[in-house]
């Protein structure tokens, strides 16, 4: 079903606004609706009221751009509460959720065990600004699981982890340039807003204004899955590259897997060039496997950034790696990096309990099984309905594109049909399925999702895809 949309202007950006459910639809849309099984009416009037006010208070009505639904049209759903695999909005609509607060909710939203530990910690205090043993406990869990990490520093977000690791790579090597890949997202630090994925790709923004020319000049960009391109960049900037940073499985220009040999090739080239290799596992860490993508693929980088799951729903990021490199960080070494709330006991507690839950027998097998069932179910339904569609999953991370494929880099991802994605997204929302509001974002499964949830989602998908 084509969602009728009208445009209005807010500053210079065009917002696509879906009509209210009770609004009269144009006659061509009515005809289309009659031809298909009409989805249940979705009343979002309270969401709309709150979001209208938010737009007068917060830039674009949000505190992080992709939440605004700009690329799929319509207004965002305003959440009221979450539990397990589900979210409820302020109009009391219930959705099966595949965003999981963009990854952290892998143990299920508002997990009872995490909540219980948090309540107990609240009584003891939320921030000390002094050492506490919980920092050791989480550090030990991370070092035990993630192959590259011998020492770790906790920060408050993935962005902060990536900014800090870049400074570390420069400090350790004495070189200034960094090589990233087009479509990969490493947070909103100046140096990384060059060919960035996530919201930057979703909004189709050029590289951001406000970034110093000198920062973007020090950032080199190569094509994902293209080792020849990487070798070319190293030849052009011989002895100048401090490090290579990448998402070992891309989730920020849609879901893109590394081709066989790509990660191994990067490991080999960075060794030859005496350059550091950093896996940005903010998304993949503790999600693809116990030790992240490096554990799954058996390729060990020098440094790793983490976030999302490591905070179990509270703001935490981390960077870690070889001890000799990490000892460059103050106060062990000269590279300065600090944080008032870093390592606070509340966030450490949520991270510890979440990693302990993930440690249990069969968790990753279960995530892999139900995620595979979902993504294969959706792709089959798409093919049956005559749509080009390709995708995949590892552990609890998945994605698919409305294009023939294969998708091996950002350029390929851009061939997918954004209008079809917008209609798909709206159709699923109307059937009670909450998906990331952008075709450039991966999907996330949690341990709380049941086979029934998956089958309900596939049935909704089949319904939507038939009429897309
Ligand atoms: C989300 C993400 C970041 C940024 O983390 P924030 O906590 O949003 O600052 C960095 N890198 C990757 C790969 C991410 O997915």
């Amino acid at each position: 079903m084509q969602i009728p949309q009208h445009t209005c202007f807010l500053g210079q950006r065009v917002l696509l606004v879906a009509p209210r459910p009770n609004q009269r639809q144009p006659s061509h849309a009515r005809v289309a609706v009659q031809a298909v099984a009409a989805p249940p009416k979705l009343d979002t009037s309270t969401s709309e009221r709150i979001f209208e006010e938010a737009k007068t208070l917060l830039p674009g009505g949000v505190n992080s751009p992709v939440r605004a639904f700009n690329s799929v049209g319509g207004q965002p759903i305003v959440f009221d509460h979450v539990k397990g695999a589900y979210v409820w909005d302020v109009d009391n609509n219930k959705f099966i959720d595949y965003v999981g607060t963009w990854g952290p909710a892998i143990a299920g939203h508002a997990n009872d065990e995490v909540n219980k530990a948090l309540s107990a910690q609240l009584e003891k205090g939320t921030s000390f600004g002094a050492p506490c043993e919980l920092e050791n406990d989480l550090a030990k869990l991370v070092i035990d699981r993630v192959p590259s990490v011998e020492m770790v520093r906790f920060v408050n977000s993935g962005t902060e982890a990536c900014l800090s690791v870049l400074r570390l790579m420069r400090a350790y090597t004495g070189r200034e340039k960094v090589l990233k890949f087009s479509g990969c997202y490493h947070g909103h630090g100046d140096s990384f807003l060059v060919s960035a994925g996530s919201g930057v790709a979703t909004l189709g923004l050029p590289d951001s204004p406000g970034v110093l020319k000198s920062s973007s000049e020090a950032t080199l960009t190569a094509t994902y899955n293209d080792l020849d391109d990487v070798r070319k960049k190293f030849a052009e900037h011989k002895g100048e590259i401090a490090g290579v940073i990448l998402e070992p499985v891309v989730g920020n220009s849609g879901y893109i897997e590394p081709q066989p040999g790509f990660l191994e090739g990067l490991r080999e080239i960075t060794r030859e060039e005496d350059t550091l290799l950093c896996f940005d596992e903010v998304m993949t860490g503790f999600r693809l496997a116990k030790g992240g993508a490096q554990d799954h693929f058996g390729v060990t980088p020098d440094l790793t950034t983490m976030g999302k799951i490591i905070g179990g729903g509270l703001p935490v990021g981390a960077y870690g790696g070889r001890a000799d490199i990490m000892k460059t960080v103050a106060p062990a070494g000269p590279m300065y990096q600090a944080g008032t709330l870093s390592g606070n006991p509340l966030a450490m507690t949520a991270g510890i309990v979440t990693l302990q839950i993930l440690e249990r027998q069969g968790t990753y097998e279960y995530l892999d099984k139900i995620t595979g069932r979902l993504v294969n179910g959706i792709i089959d339904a798409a093919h049956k309905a005559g749509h080009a569609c390709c995708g995949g999953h590892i552990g609890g991370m998945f994605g698919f594109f409305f294009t023939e494929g294969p998708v091996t880099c950002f350029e390929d991802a851009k061939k997918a049909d954004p209008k079809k994605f917008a209609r798909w997204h709206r159709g699923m929302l109307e059937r009670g399925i909450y998906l990331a509001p952008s075709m450039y974002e991966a999907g996330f499964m949690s341990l709380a999702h049941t086979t029934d949830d998956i089958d309900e989602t596939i049935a909704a998908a089949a319904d939507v895809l038939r009429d897309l």
Side-chain angles (χ1 to χ4, degrees), residues 6 17 94 105 115 126-127 141 219 222 264 287 305 330-331 335 346 355 376 389 396 406 419 430 445 447 455 459 463:
H6 59 89
V17 182
K94 179 185 175 187
N115 278 359
T126 60
S127 177
L141 289 172
T219 305
E264 292 82 352
R287 177 161 285 284
T305 52
M335 189 212 91
L346 201 63
L355 294 197
N376 293 328
C389 186
K419 292 204 186 90
E430 287 173 353
M445 190 67 72
L447 290 168
D455 291 346
D463 208 23

Side-chain angles (χ1 to χ4, degrees), residues 1-306:
M1 179 183 92
Q2 174 86 47
I3 311 300
Q5 293 170 332
H6 59 89
T7 50
C8 66
F9 291 91
L10 178 75
Q12 296 204 310
R13 184 160 305 148
V14 180
L15 288 179
L16 297 174
V17 182
R20 292 160 183 277
N22 60 359
Q23 208 172 321
R24 267 202 68 204
Q25 294 183 336
S27 56
H28 68 274
R30 268 211 309 276
V31 171
V33 171
Q34 279 162 6
V36 306
K41 276 269 183 280
L42 182 65
D43 175 12
T44 55
S45 48
T46 313
S47 276
E48 282 161 41
R49 178 180 59 71
I50 294 171
F51 192 65
E52 279 308 317
E53 183 186 44
K55 282 194 284 192
T56 68
L57 303 168
L58 313 166
V62 289
N63 283 304
S64 196
V66 180
R67 293 178 199 170
F69 274 43
N70 282 11
S71 76
V72 291
Q75 289 207 345
I77 301 299
V78 176
F79 285 17
D80 182 70
H81 63 284
V82 294
K83 189 73 189 170
Y86 312 117
V87 305
W88 285 262
D89 69 9
V90 287
D91 292 288
N92 210 25
N93 300 305
K94 179 185 175 187
F95 301 89
I96 304 175
D97 176 34
Y98 294 100
V99 181
T101 182
W102 302 95
I106 194 164
H109 284 292
N111 179 280
D112 287 339
E113 290 172 79
V114 176
N115 278 359
K116 193 158 159 259
L118 286 176
S119 301
Q121 185 55 46
L122 274 176
E123 297 297 319
K124 297 176 72 181
T126 60
S127 177
F128 297 159
C132 73
E133 195 174 8
L134 293 167
E135 294 168 288
N136 297 11
D137 295 341
L138 186 55
K140 282 189 271 188
L141 289 172
V142 172
I143 290 165
D144 176 57
R145 283 160 179 66
V146 187
S148 66
V149 178
E150 296 171 359
M151 252 187 185
V152 61
R153 166 64 59 89
F154 294 113
V155 292
N156 304 291
S157 68
T159 292
E160 213 187 316
C162 294
L163 285 175
S164 308
V165 93
L166 176 59
R167 187 179 305 145
L168 175 57
M169 293 196 291
R170 288 174 172 154
Y172 184 79
T173 60
R175 299 172 180 180
E176 292 214 340
K177 293 193 169 137
V178 62
L179 180 67
K180 77 179 284 286
F181 294 89
S182 165
C184 281
Y185 181 68
H186 306 296
H188 63 81
D190 280 4
S191 307
F192 296 125
L193 289 181
V194 178
S195 303
S198 189
V200 186
T202 302
L203 300 175
L205 297 176
D207 300 336
S208 177
V211 172
L212 280 179
K213 237 169 105 192
S214 52
S215 341
S216 44
E217 277 165 9
T219 305
L220 311 171
T221 310
T223 302
Y224 200 80
N225 274 323
D226 186 345
L227 288 173
D228 288 339
D229 195 23
V230 174
R231 285 195 196 91
K232 195 167 137 241
K233 294 295 178 315
F234 270 100
E236 285 167 7
H237 301 273
K238 196 80 194 153
E240 296 174 348
I241 300 177
V244 175
I245 186 167
L246 77 156
E247 294 180 61
V249 173
V250 183
N252 285 294
S253 33
Y255 173 88
I256 304 174
E257 290 182 13
Q259 294 194 318
F262 179 61
L263 299 176
E264 292 82 352
L266 289 177
R267 183 63 283 187
E268 211 176 287
I269 295 169
T270 47
R271 282 223 175 90
E272 280 164 21
E273 300 286 342
D274 217 7
T275 292
L276 297 173
L277 179 63
C278 177
F279 281 4
D280 178 354
E281 298 231 34
V282 171
M283 188 182 282
T284 54
F286 316 107
R287 177 161 285 284
L288 304 195
K290 196 174 129 185
Q294 53 198 275
D295 180 13
H296 178 83
F297 291 104
V299 177
T300 307
D302 303 297
L303 292 162
T304 300
T305 52
M306 290 156 278

Side-chain angles (χ1 to χ4, degrees), residues 289-342:
K290 196 174 129 185
Q294 53 198 275
D295 180 13
H296 178 83
F297 291 104
V299 177
T300 307
D302 303 297
L303 292 162
T304 300
T305 52
M306 290 156 278
K308 299 189 169 119
I309 290 174
I310 204 176
L314 270 82
V316 185
Y319 61 104
R322 265 170 36 206
D324 64 310
I325 307 174
M326 289 305 290
K327 283 180 181 163
T328 310
V329 179
M335 189 212 91
Y336 194 71
Q337 187 271 308
T340 301
L341 290 168
S342 295

